[in-house]
Amino acid sequence: MTSTDSAAQKAPAKDPWDLPDVSGLVVGVLGGTGPQGKGLAHRLAKAGQKVIVGSRAAERAQAAAEEIGHGVEGADNAETARRSDIVIVAVPWDGHGKTLESLREELSGKLVVDCVNPLGFDKKGAYALKPEEGSAAEQAAALLPDSRVAAAFHHLSAVLLQDPEIDEIDTDVMVLGEERADVEIVQALAGRIPGMRGVFAGRLRNAHQVESLVANLISVNRRYKAHAGLRVTDV
Protein backbone atom coordinates (compact mmCIF):
# COMPACT_ATOMS: atom_id res chain seq x y z
CA MET A 1 0.00 0.00 0.00
CA THR A 2 1.40 3.39 -0.93
CA SER A 3 1.40 6.40 1.36
CA THR A 4 -1.20 7.97 -0.96
CA ASP A 5 -3.50 4.97 -0.55
CA SER A 6 -3.04 5.09 3.24
CA ALA A 7 -3.93 8.77 3.37
CA ALA A 8 -6.99 8.21 1.21
CA GLN A 9 -8.28 5.58 3.65
CA LYS A 10 -7.93 7.78 6.74
CA ALA A 11 -11.20 8.66 8.41
CA PRO A 12 -12.35 12.23 7.84
CA ALA A 13 -11.63 14.69 10.61
CA LYS A 14 -14.30 14.78 13.28
CA ASP A 15 -16.63 17.77 13.17
CA PRO A 16 -15.80 19.77 16.33
CA TRP A 17 -19.50 20.61 16.68
CA ASP A 18 -20.54 16.95 16.61
CA LEU A 19 -21.18 16.69 20.35
CA PRO A 20 -22.61 13.86 22.45
CA ASP A 21 -26.15 13.59 23.78
CA VAL A 22 -25.97 14.51 27.47
CA SER A 23 -29.70 14.85 28.11
CA GLY A 24 -29.80 11.71 30.26
CA LEU A 25 -26.96 12.68 32.60
CA VAL A 26 -27.57 13.81 36.18
CA VAL A 27 -25.86 17.11 37.00
CA GLY A 28 -24.91 17.96 40.56
CA VAL A 29 -24.06 21.52 41.59
CA LEU A 30 -21.85 21.95 44.64
CA GLY A 31 -22.54 25.40 46.00
CA GLY A 32 -26.02 25.19 44.55
CA THR A 33 -27.42 27.55 47.17
CA GLY A 34 -25.24 30.46 45.98
CA PRO A 35 -26.17 32.83 43.12
CA GLN A 36 -24.01 31.18 40.44
CA GLY A 37 -24.92 27.64 41.46
CA LYS A 38 -28.63 28.39 41.68
CA GLY A 39 -28.52 30.15 38.32
CA LEU A 40 -26.81 27.25 36.56
CA ALA A 41 -29.16 24.75 38.21
CA HIS A 42 -32.16 26.79 37.09
CA ARG A 43 -31.02 27.04 33.47
CA LEU A 44 -30.02 23.40 33.13
CA ALA A 45 -33.17 22.10 34.79
CA LYS A 46 -35.34 24.40 32.68
CA ALA A 47 -33.63 22.88 29.62
CA GLY A 48 -34.70 19.40 30.76
CA GLN A 49 -31.56 18.26 32.61
CA LYS A 50 -31.89 16.30 35.86
CA VAL A 51 -30.23 18.51 38.48
CA ILE A 52 -29.34 18.09 42.16
CA VAL A 53 -28.12 21.10 44.15
CA GLY A 54 -25.73 20.50 47.01
CA SER A 55 -24.85 22.35 50.19
CA ARG A 56 -23.09 21.55 53.44
CA ALA A 57 -26.57 21.46 54.98
CA ALA A 58 -29.18 19.30 53.22
CA GLU A 59 -31.97 21.56 54.49
CA ARG A 60 -30.48 24.60 52.78
CA ALA A 61 -30.09 22.65 49.55
CA GLN A 62 -33.67 21.41 49.68
CA ALA A 63 -34.95 24.96 50.26
CA ALA A 64 -32.93 26.20 47.28
CA ALA A 65 -34.24 23.34 45.13
CA GLU A 66 -37.84 24.24 45.96
CA GLU A 67 -37.12 27.86 45.06
CA ILE A 68 -35.56 26.87 41.71
CA GLY A 69 -38.31 24.40 40.76
CA HIS A 70 -38.22 22.49 37.45
CA GLY A 71 -37.79 19.20 39.30
CA VAL A 72 -34.49 20.18 40.96
CA GLU A 73 -33.62 18.17 44.08
CA GLY A 74 -31.52 19.22 47.07
CA ALA A 75 -29.09 17.18 49.15
CA ASP A 76 -25.91 17.58 51.13
CA ASN A 77 -22.70 17.83 49.13
CA ALA A 78 -21.67 14.21 49.61
CA GLU A 79 -25.00 12.80 48.43
CA THR A 80 -25.07 15.25 45.53
CA ALA A 81 -21.63 14.05 44.41
CA ARG A 82 -22.56 10.37 44.74
CA ARG A 83 -25.79 10.65 42.77
CA SER A 84 -24.47 12.78 39.90
CA ASP A 85 -22.75 11.91 36.63
CA ILE A 86 -21.32 15.41 36.22
CA VAL A 87 -20.54 17.65 39.19
CA ILE A 88 -20.23 21.42 38.76
CA VAL A 89 -18.16 23.14 41.45
CA ALA A 90 -19.62 26.59 42.18
CA VAL A 91 -18.46 27.11 45.76
CA PRO A 92 -16.77 30.30 47.03
CA TRP A 93 -13.04 30.39 46.38
CA ASP A 94 -12.14 30.50 50.07
CA GLY A 95 -13.87 27.15 50.61
CA HIS A 96 -12.83 25.54 47.33
CA GLY A 97 -9.91 23.39 48.44
CA LYS A 98 -11.45 22.23 51.70
CA THR A 99 -14.73 21.28 50.03
CA LEU A 100 -13.11 19.22 47.29
CA GLU A 101 -10.68 17.53 49.64
CA SER A 102 -13.58 16.39 51.83
CA LEU A 103 -15.40 14.91 48.81
CA ARG A 104 -12.47 13.09 47.18
CA GLU A 105 -14.06 9.66 47.62
CA GLU A 106 -17.54 10.71 46.46
CA LEU A 107 -16.10 12.46 43.39
CA SER A 108 -13.93 9.52 42.37
CA GLY A 109 -14.61 8.57 38.75
CA LYS A 110 -16.82 11.61 38.18
CA LEU A 111 -16.48 14.38 35.62
CA VAL A 112 -15.92 17.47 37.76
CA VAL A 113 -16.46 20.87 36.13
CA ASP A 114 -14.82 23.71 38.05
CA CYS A 115 -16.26 27.20 37.51
CA VAL A 116 -14.66 28.93 40.49
CA ASN A 117 -12.87 32.24 39.97
CA PRO A 118 -10.10 33.05 42.49
CA LEU A 119 -10.57 36.78 42.99
CA GLY A 120 -9.70 39.42 45.52
CA PHE A 121 -11.39 42.77 46.06
CA ASP A 122 -10.14 46.10 47.32
CA LYS A 123 -10.94 49.80 46.83
CA LYS A 124 -9.74 49.57 43.23
CA GLY A 125 -12.14 46.72 42.41
CA ALA A 126 -11.71 43.05 41.59
CA TYR A 127 -8.35 41.49 40.84
CA ALA A 128 -7.17 37.97 40.02
CA LEU A 129 -5.49 35.71 42.53
CA LYS A 130 -3.11 32.96 41.41
CA PRO A 131 -3.35 29.73 43.41
CA GLU A 132 -0.19 27.78 44.15
CA GLU A 133 -1.33 25.11 41.66
CA GLY A 134 -1.83 27.74 38.93
CA SER A 135 -5.63 27.99 38.90
CA ALA A 136 -8.73 26.79 40.71
CA ALA A 137 -9.17 24.07 38.10
CA GLU A 138 -5.60 22.84 38.55
CA GLN A 139 -6.10 22.85 42.31
CA ALA A 140 -9.19 20.69 41.78
CA ALA A 141 -7.20 18.29 39.59
CA ALA A 142 -4.47 18.03 42.23
CA LEU A 143 -6.97 17.36 45.01
CA LEU A 144 -9.04 14.89 42.97
CA PRO A 145 -6.57 12.49 41.34
CA ASP A 146 -9.29 9.92 40.68
CA SER A 147 -11.69 12.40 39.02
CA ARG A 148 -11.74 13.85 35.49
CA VAL A 149 -11.51 17.61 35.89
CA ALA A 150 -12.61 20.22 33.37
CA ALA A 151 -13.17 23.97 33.70
CA ALA A 152 -16.11 25.98 32.34
CA PHE A 153 -18.98 28.39 33.11
CA HIS A 154 -16.71 31.12 34.54
CA HIS A 155 -18.05 34.17 32.71
CA LEU A 156 -21.79 33.87 33.30
CA SER A 157 -23.85 36.51 35.04
CA ALA A 158 -25.68 35.05 38.03
CA VAL A 159 -28.26 37.82 37.64
CA LEU A 160 -29.10 36.79 34.07
CA LEU A 161 -29.01 33.09 34.89
CA GLN A 162 -31.63 33.53 37.62
CA ASP A 163 -33.88 35.99 35.76
CA PRO A 164 -37.10 34.13 34.81
CA GLU A 165 -37.94 36.82 32.23
CA ILE A 166 -34.85 36.01 30.13
CA ASP A 167 -35.30 33.05 27.78
CA GLU A 168 -31.80 32.95 26.24
CA ILE A 169 -28.32 33.62 27.62
CA ASP A 170 -26.31 35.28 24.84
CA THR A 171 -22.80 34.01 25.55
CA ASP A 172 -20.13 31.46 24.80
CA VAL A 173 -18.65 29.21 27.49
CA MET A 174 -14.90 28.59 27.42
CA VAL A 175 -14.31 24.91 28.18
CA LEU A 176 -10.90 23.58 29.22
CA GLY A 177 -9.81 20.02 29.92
CA GLU A 178 -7.31 17.26 29.31
CA GLU A 179 -9.53 14.73 27.54
CA ARG A 180 -11.42 15.58 24.37
CA ALA A 181 -14.36 13.37 25.29
CA ASP A 182 -14.80 15.15 28.64
CA VAL A 183 -14.53 18.59 27.05
CA GLU A 184 -17.18 17.65 24.49
CA ILE A 185 -19.55 16.50 27.24
CA VAL A 186 -19.21 19.90 28.93
CA GLN A 187 -19.62 21.71 25.60
CA ALA A 188 -22.79 19.74 24.97
CA LEU A 189 -24.07 20.54 28.46
CA ALA A 190 -23.51 24.26 27.90
CA GLY A 191 -25.33 23.97 24.57
CA ARG A 192 -28.43 22.67 26.35
CA ILE A 193 -29.04 26.22 27.58
CA PRO A 194 -30.71 28.35 24.87
CA GLY A 195 -28.36 31.01 23.48
CA MET A 196 -25.28 29.40 25.00
CA ARG A 197 -22.44 27.58 23.26
CA GLY A 198 -19.46 25.67 24.64
CA VAL A 199 -16.12 26.37 22.94
CA PHE A 200 -12.90 24.41 23.52
CA ALA A 201 -10.30 26.79 24.97
CA GLY A 202 -7.29 24.62 25.79
CA ARG A 203 -5.98 22.38 28.52
CA LEU A 204 -6.18 23.02 32.26
CA ARG A 205 -2.80 24.75 32.25
CA ASN A 206 -4.59 27.62 30.47
CA ALA A 207 -7.35 27.91 33.07
CA HIS A 208 -5.76 30.75 35.06
CA GLN A 209 -6.28 33.42 32.41
CA VAL A 210 -9.85 32.26 31.79
CA GLU A 211 -10.65 32.45 35.51
CA SER A 212 -8.86 35.80 35.79
CA LEU A 213 -10.84 37.40 32.97
CA VAL A 214 -13.81 37.60 35.32
CA ALA A 215 -12.07 40.48 37.10
CA ASN A 216 -12.12 42.39 33.80
CA LEU A 217 -15.78 41.58 33.22
CA ILE A 218 -16.64 42.88 36.68
CA SER A 219 -14.98 46.18 35.74
CA VAL A 220 -16.95 46.24 32.45
CA ASN A 221 -20.19 45.59 34.27
CA ARG A 222 -19.61 48.29 36.85
CA ARG A 223 -18.69 50.93 34.28
CA TYR A 224 -21.53 50.17 31.85
CA LYS A 225 -24.19 48.92 34.30
CA ALA A 226 -24.29 45.66 32.36
CA HIS A 227 -24.12 41.89 32.73
CA ALA A 228 -21.46 41.25 30.10
CA GLY A 229 -20.58 37.85 28.68
CA LEU A 230 -18.23 36.68 25.93
CA ARG A 231 -18.57 35.63 22.29
CA VAL A 232 -15.79 33.92 20.33
CA THR A 233 -15.86 35.02 16.69
CA ASP A 234 -15.17 33.03 13.51
CA VAL A 235 -15.85 29.57 15.00
Side-chain angles (χ1 to χ4, degrees):
M1 180 181 292
T2 67
S3 59
T4 304
D5 292 334
S6 177
Q9 291 181 11
K10 285 184 179 179
K14 185 179 183 296
D15 181 352
W17 297 111
D18 180 15
L19 301 173
D21 178 10
V22 297
S23 60
L25 300 180
V26 178
V27 179
V29 184
L30 304 182
T33 58
Q36 194 80 355
K38 284 173 69 175
L40 281 167
H42 164 70
R43 290 291 164 176
L44 290 169
K46 188 177 179 181
Q49 207 76 34
K50 175 61 183 173
V51 177
I52 306 170
V53 293
S55 176
R56 286 178 296 177
E59 297 79 9
R60 286 186 61 204
Q62 289 159 2
E66 290 180 12
E67 182 182 343
I68 296 166
H70 300 290
V72 174
E73 295 183 38
D76 64 36
N77 283 332
E79 182 180 349
T80 297
R82 281 192 297 267
R83 292 178 55 196
S84 302
D85 300 304
I86 305 173
V87 179
I88 296 174
V89 182
V91 300
W93 166 241
D94 58 7
H96 181 263
K98 185 176 180 180
T99 298
L100 294 184
E101 193 170 19
S102 71
L103 297 171
R104 181 176 296 164
E105 182 178 345
E106 290 83 359
L107 292 171
S108 177
K110 307 285 184 176
L111 175 53
V112 177
V113 184
D114 203 298
C115 71
V116 175
N117 303 302
L119 297 177
F121 295 87
D122 59 19
K123 292 181 180 180
K124 295 181 180 180
Y127 60 95
L129 304 175
K130 188 159 188 178
E132 182 179 347
E133 299 84 355
S135 63
E138 289 169 294
Q139 183 183 88
L143 292 171
L144 304 172
D146 297 320
S147 303
R148 296 134 52 211
V149 176
F153 302 115
H154 300 91
H155 306 134
L156 307 181
S157 163
V159 173
L160 298 185
L161 288 174
Q162 294 185 85
D163 190 336
E165 301 300 316
I166 294 176
D167 294 324
E168 296 189 1
I169 305 295
D170 180 23
T171 193
D172 284 333
V173 171
M174 310 283 273
V175 183
L176 303 98
E178 299 302 316
E179 299 296 332
R180 180 168 180 169
D182 292 336
V183 168
E184 290 182 347
I185 288 172
V186 182
Q187 287 182 267
L189 188 65
R192 297 272 288 159
I193 300 173
M196 198 175 289
R197 185 179 64 158
V199 178
F200 172 65
R203 294 179 179 267
L204 289 186
R205 68 181 184 180
N206 292 320
H208 171 66
Q209 53 264 40
V210 172
E211 296 168 0
S212 300
L213 189 57
V214 174
N216 302 89
L217 288 177
I218 290 172
S219 297
V220 170
N221 290 336
R222 286 181 174 174
R223 173 64 63 89
Y224 299 102
K225 311 300 182 189
H227 301 291
L230 296 177
R231 279 294 187 197
V232 180
T233 63
D234 201 33
V235 294

